[in-house]
Amino acid sequence: MNASAIIFYILSAFILGAALLSVTTTKIFRAAIWLLFSLIGVAGLYFWMQVEFIAAVQIVVYVGGIVVLIIFSIFLTQQSGSEMIRPGKKQLIISLLAVLFGTAFTYNLIQHYQFTPTSSKPLAANVSDIGLQMLSTTEHGFVLPFEVVSMLLLASMIGCIVIAMKAPAVPGSLPEGFEKDELPPLQLPKNILVNPVQPAEEIM
Amino acid sequence: MFLKEYIKDVYSGVKSLLIGMRRTGKYFITPREIITEQYPEFRAQLSERFRGEVVMPHDEKNEHACTGCTACELACPNGTIKIITKFDIQPDGKKKKAIDTFIYHLELCTMCNLCIVACPTDAIKMAQNFEHSVFDRNTLTKKLNNPGSKIREGIE
Amino acid sequence: MFSLQGITNGIEKWLHNNMSANMALLVECAIVIFLAISLFAILGLILVLMERKVAAHMQIRLGPNRVGPFGMLQTTADTLKLLLKEGLTPDGADKFLFNLAPFVIMIVAMLILAPIAFATGFQIWDLNIGVLYVTAISSISVIAILMAGWASNNKYSMLGAMRSGAQIVSYELSAGLSIISIVVLTGSLQISEIIESQRNGWWLFKGHIPAVIAFVIFIIAVTAETNRAPFDLAEAESELTAGFHTEYSGMRFALFFLAEYINIFIVCAIGATLFLGGWMPLHIGSWQGFNHIMDFIPSSVWFFGKTFLLIFLIMWFRWTFPRLRVDQLLSLEWKYLLPISMFNLLLMTVVAIMGWHF
């Protein structure tokens, strides 16, 4: 066993351990943090494979984006400090069975696949190559998925703007959903509304 | 026009920030404007009007001007001054009111100057001393008349 | 000629002559770790002192001037004091995450140090996605802040962490866009190539107005990303006591404090690399004589000079501007910086395609 293999096993153990802790912990915020460590471990695996671009994108998308989103939604919705109830016996057995089935399925696939060792050097993907491949219209180009993803993102962005947009407030009108006679009429002294701040010269 | 307003907004914002930065930058490069006074080496001479604490001046014959009238004690809004009086027997046999102890609580004093205004004989005044910190707060309770001092001749 | 590159090459040659390749690698790792840690310690001491001195002089004061000549040993004394203090863990806190957070933030700061070029050929890891790596790793630090804020079990910490999260996530966009506009000009993410492309002049001068706008936006965005005034809502003393590190004391507080200053150094180093040419001396086009004179100044002096110039600029901001409100902070990003930097990126692309830059 050489140093590279040792690093691989350490990284794998880290990923699996963090993932296991993430599903067994009873505090939801800790679960998110363990998930984060697991994802960082995957990025470490990409670094180990010397595909730095994928590793950096993994960190940007999963750590900087998705986990932060998860944590924010936990903060805003759950009682993040309280312990959750442990799962019942039936849930435990079913999940164990699912894990066993998944393991068997994957093992079976790996067993039947012929891993042919290649002598070619690891691919050195230049950033400009990735950019060209992204927009190339040839057989293995990614222009269609790229455009589809762009459309999806644009649509979600417009959706966000529409949700966040408020109707321009008309002075004196009530917000939507309020009936006129639900609220008592505003009874403020007239001079406050008309002239809220006196000019400095008048006070002097 | 929306775009015009937007550009004007950005322009005025940047301009106001630059004005602020010019001011602090100017202070940074002119060290002679520094107003810090290095305290233990340089003790500030405070002006006559500064009220540090109440003192009772004594002259060289160890005499003061306090008649023990307690006007200052009555004038004090928070009980800073306490005067204990006694009766001196004068040579002609008459008794005369005089102070035994003039107690002054510095820890209670707000330096409002009312006692000095109230004093009919100008026996007490405000000193400009400001270094009042001590390790024990009992030492802030002071006796203002010197031991063995007596009232100056001719003050009623 | 005497240079840092010569020293590192000499050490490597000596190690490879005297021991096996694996052993030499391990020793080199140890040397790098030792250098990184000592750089952190020295930077922490210098930057805190510099901040206090700059602040004092901008407020017409003298600043620390008692411990050592001109108060130069003040921060050393403070660090000793913090080392001796007790590190308390609150009773209701999530102890594990509470103790983990300061280390996460320090590890992140150390990782970002890897691709920074300090001088000619003096760089820990010249990976081919340098700038993207920095952007990616620095996004982990927000997790450490959220961790610290949540684990403290304190409402001020929590509010500070939430504010900080919202702030870092939104300002990352415009920082990233202004970095990309330089990447558009160089056509590479590798730090050494970005520096090499500035041999005949810095991008700030070569890239016309779009580069200047990108530089201004970059400085504003990184000021916000490092949680410094006028964007210090996450630790606003007057509102949240100290934000996410309210409950920290002793050496763990010192780690947070140190990480803040290290992050300032790193973002300023990145800014100096992208816009001011890193260790590249000031070269003007084809003035051979002028360029030759500039080459006599060592490259490390150029790098640290530019970085500290940017750090001074950020400190100047801090001691001039008042703190923003949360809504002002977000409207500054989403209504001003982001549209302007997007438009600027388009402009920069046009400049790069037409070859209008020098």
Side-chain angles (χ1 to χ4, degrees):
Chain A
M1 205 196 273
N2 56 356
S4 180
I6 293 171
I7 292 172
F8 172 76
Y9 284 118
I10 290 173
L11 276 174
S12 312
F14 178 74
I15 294 167
L16 290 177
L20 207 62
L21 279 169
S22 161
V23 291
T24 51
T25 184
T26 49
K27 282 186 177 171
I28 191 161
F29 183 78
R30 276 201 180 185
I33 294 294
W34 288 122
L35 175 68
L36 164 89
F37 282 137
S38 183
L39 292 170
I40 289 177
V42 174
L45 214 53
Y46 287 134
F47 274 117
W48 176 80
M49 287 189 241
Q50 299 184 333
V51 281
E52 286 95 358
F53 188 81
I54 308 290
V57 169
Q58 160 91 6
I59 292 178
V60 167
V61 172
Y62 283 99
V63 176
I66 289 181
V67 173
V68 171
L69 194 70
I70 288 174
I71 289 176
F72 260 80
S73 46
I74 288 172
F75 280 174
L76 294 176
T77 56
Q78 297 269 342
Q79 287 186 324
S80 53
S82 56
E83 301 235 331
M84 290 185 297
I85 42 163
R86 291 207 159 272
K89 218 169 233 172
K90 210 160 77 181
Q91 282 167 304
L92 210 64
I93 290 168
I94 290 172
S95 57
L96 276 177
L97 279 177
V99 168
L100 267 178
F101 175 73
T103 316
F105 189 68
T106 320
Y107 184 77
N108 194 31
L109 274 183
I110 291 171
Q111 199 65 15
H112 284 83
Y113 185 78
Q114 303 296 321
F115 287 101
T116 45
T118 55
S119 58
S120 62
K121 57 182 183 343
L123 75 168
N126 207 346
V127 177
S128 51
D129 294 343
I130 293 171
L132 286 175
Q133 192 71 28
M134 210 65 113
L135 289 177
S136 86
T137 50
T138 54
E139 198 183 340
H140 294 293
F142 289 99
V143 71
L144 186 65
F146 185 84
E147 290 298 328
V148 169
V149 168
S150 317
M151 287 294 288
L152 181 70
L153 289 177
L154 186 67
S156 59
M157 227 156 90
I158 293 171
C160 283
I161 293 170
V162 168
I163 289 169
M165 207 160 56
K166 278 188 296 198
V170 182
S173 74
L174 289 164
E176 239 178 287
F178 282 95
E179 291 299 319
K180 258 268 157 34
D181 42 56
E182 268 184 55
L183 293 171
L186 283 173
Q187 285 185 337
L188 288 172
K190 254 208 179 119
N191 53 353
I192 289 180
L193 290 174
V194 172
N195 193 6
V197 181
Q198 274 183 303
E201 300 87 57
E202 282 181 29
I203 299 168
M204 305 277 274
Chain B
M1 176 93 168
F2 166 72
L3 206 61
K4 203 174 138 193
E5 288 281 305
Y6 186 85
I7 292 170
K8 224 166 85 183
D9 236 25
V10 173
Y11 175 75
S12 65
V14 170
K15 196 180 150 200
S16 68
L17 292 181
L18 285 179
I19 289 171
M21 281 179 69
R22 197 178 64 190
R23 169 55 54 191
T24 43
K26 208 172 131 195
Y27 281 140
F28 185 77
I29 54 171
T30 46
R32 70 191 152 73
E33 294 219 31
I34 287 174
I35 51 169
T36 306
E37 287 180 352
Q38 306 256 45
Y39 165 63
E41 293 98 48
F42 179 83
R43 288 180 157 76
Q45 276 302 308
L46 297 172
S47 74
E48 196 68 14
R49 300 186 317 184
F50 180 77
R51 300 172 196 161
E53 63 172 331
V54 176
V55 292
M56 183 183 281
H58 288 68
D59 60 10
E60 63 274 6
K61 287 188 284 183
N62 203 11
E63 287 175 344
H64 55 76
C66 181
T67 59
C69 67
T70 69
C72 49
E73 188 179 341
L74 293 171
C76 185
N78 45 356
T80 303
I81 296 169
K82 177 87 184 120
I83 294 173
I84 299 167
T85 52
K86 63 179 179 186
F87 286 96
D88 278 347
I89 312 289
Q90 289 197 315
D92 53 356
K94 271 201 255 174
K95 283 203 231 168
K96 195 185 169 196
K97 196 178 170 193
I99 57 167
D100 181 42
T101 321
F102 190 108
I103 297 167
Y104 169 57
H105 293 276
L106 179 57
E107 74 270 26
L108 298 178
C109 184
T110 60
M111 318 294 166
C112 66
N113 211 34
L114 286 177
C115 51
I116 281 89
V117 173
C119 185
T121 57
D122 290 338
I124 47 177
K125 65 171 188 134
M126 279 285 181
Q128 278 74 49
N129 177 24
F130 59 91
E131 292 155 318
H132 291 312
S133 54
V134 286
F135 286 104
D136 182 6
R137 86 181 152 171
N138 288 332
T139 49
L140 289 173
T141 304
K142 293 180 179 178
K143 198 178 147 189
L144 289 191
N145 54 333
N146 288 355
S149 64
K150 58 181 198 289
I151 187 164
R152 202 172 295 142
E153 287 293 315
I155 290 178
E156 293 299 320
Chain C
M1 200 180 139
F2 182 78
S3 72
L4 285 170
Q5 193 178 15
I7 295 170
T8 48
N9 285 345
I11 289 173
E12 192 178 358
K13 211 178 260 170
W14 187 84
L15 284 173
H16 278 283
N17 283 340
N18 286 305
M19 46 183 93
S20 64
N22 281 341
M23 199 62 206
L25 190 69
L26 280 180
V27 173
E28 276 170 15
C29 280
I31 292 173
V32 166
I33 290 168
F34 172 73
L35 284 181
I37 291 174
S38 43
L39 177 79
F40 273 26
I42 293 167
L43 271 181
L45 296 182
I46 291 177
L47 287 177
V48 175
L49 183 70
M50 177 176 164
E51 170 108 78
R52 291 179 64 176
K53 277 287 187 190
V54 168
H57 278 86
M58 283 183 176
Q59 295 169 345
I60 339 180
R61 293 186 288 117
L62 276 175
N65 57 3
R66 292 283 160 182
V67 191
F70 302 104
M72 282 195 296
L73 299 176
Q74 179 70 54
T75 46
T76 319
D78 288 346
T79 314
L80 283 177
K81 182 199 76 176
L82 280 172
L83 273 172
L84 295 172
K85 274 187 157 182
E86 183 187 1
L88 284 171
T89 307
D91 212 22
D94 188 329
K95 305 235 166 33
F96 172 69
L97 292 180
F98 185 83
N99 292 325
L100 186 68
F103 296 102
V104 171
I105 209 165
M106 277 313 284
I107 289 168
V108 168
M110 284 193 179
L111 284 175
I112 309 177
L113 205 63
I116 292 172
F118 292 96
T120 324
F122 195 75
Q123 194 173 1
I124 298 173
W125 186 20
D126 188 20
L127 76 177
N128 65 349
I129 49 150
V131 181
L132 181 65
Y133 173 85
V134 171
T135 329
I137 299 289
S138 65
S139 67
I140 302 180
S141 68
V142 62
I143 300 285
I145 289 174
L146 287 173
M147 227 192 259
W150 181 79
S152 299
N153 197 14
N154 174 326
K155 56 183 170 240
Y156 296 122
S157 304
M158 184 79 174
L159 275 174
M162 295 274 281
R163 283 185 183 186
S164 170
Q167 184 177 327
I168 291 178
V169 168
S170 46
Y171 277 80
E172 234 166 41
L173 289 173
S174 44
L177 282 174
S178 53
I179 288 174
I180 287 173
S181 52
I182 293 302
V183 174
V184 164
L185 284 176
T186 56
S188 170
L189 292 169
Q190 199 167 357
I191 297 274
S192 59
E193 275 185 37
I194 289 172
I195 294 173
E196 198 54 42
S197 68
Q198 304 181 59
R199 186 167 283 284
N200 56 351
W202 303 342
W203 281 125
L204 186 61
F205 306 131
K206 283 202 298 181
H208 304 294
I209 296 167
V212 177
I213 295 174
F215 179 66
V216 172
I217 287 172
F218 179 80
I219 290 291
I220 295 172
V222 299
T223 312
E225 269 196 72
T226 46
N227 282 328
R228 279 180 66 86
F231 304 102
D232 62 341
L233 297 108
E235 43 197 287
E237 287 95 346
S238 44
E239 301 161 32
L240 301 176
T241 59
F244 58 90
H245 54 65
T246 304
E247 296 288 352
Y248 283 88
S249 58
M251 210 50 215
R252 280 188 230 120
F253 168 74
L255 283 181
F256 270 115
F257 204 61
L258 184 60
E260 183 190 331
Y261 283 96
I262 298 297
N263 280 332
I264 293 161
F265 175 80
I266 286 167
V267 294
C268 288
I270 297 293
T273 306
L274 289 173
F275 295 96
L276 304 176
W279 47 260
M280 196 59 85
L282 175 62
H283 284 175
I284 298 177
S286 54
W287 297 11
Q288 290 302 333
F290 180 79
N291 292 352
H292 215 68
I293 293 166
M294 285 296 161
D295 283 341
F296 273 107
I297 303 172
S299 55
S300 51
V301 173
W302 276 108
F303 174 76
F304 280 102
K306 288 168 192 172
T307 307
F308 274 85
L309 187 77
L310 290 186
I311 291 172
F312 174 73
L313 195 65
I314 283 181
M315 286 181 180
W316 194 352
F317 289 159
R318 171 162 186 176
W319 298 106
T320 307
F321 304 141
R323 184 186 307 137
L324 272 72
R325 258 187 353 242
V326 179
D327 62 322
Q328 289 170 336
L329 177 93
L330 292 177
S331 77
L332 174 68
E333 163 65 17
W334 295 103
K335 287 187 187 163
Y336 293 94
L337 292 187
L338 193 62
I340 290 175
S341 56
M342 276 179 171
F343 182 72
N344 191 46
L345 182 59
L346 274 181
L347 213 63
M348 191 61 112
T349 321
V350 171
V351 168
I353 290 171
M354 305 299 275
W356 286 340
H357 58 90
F358 297 115

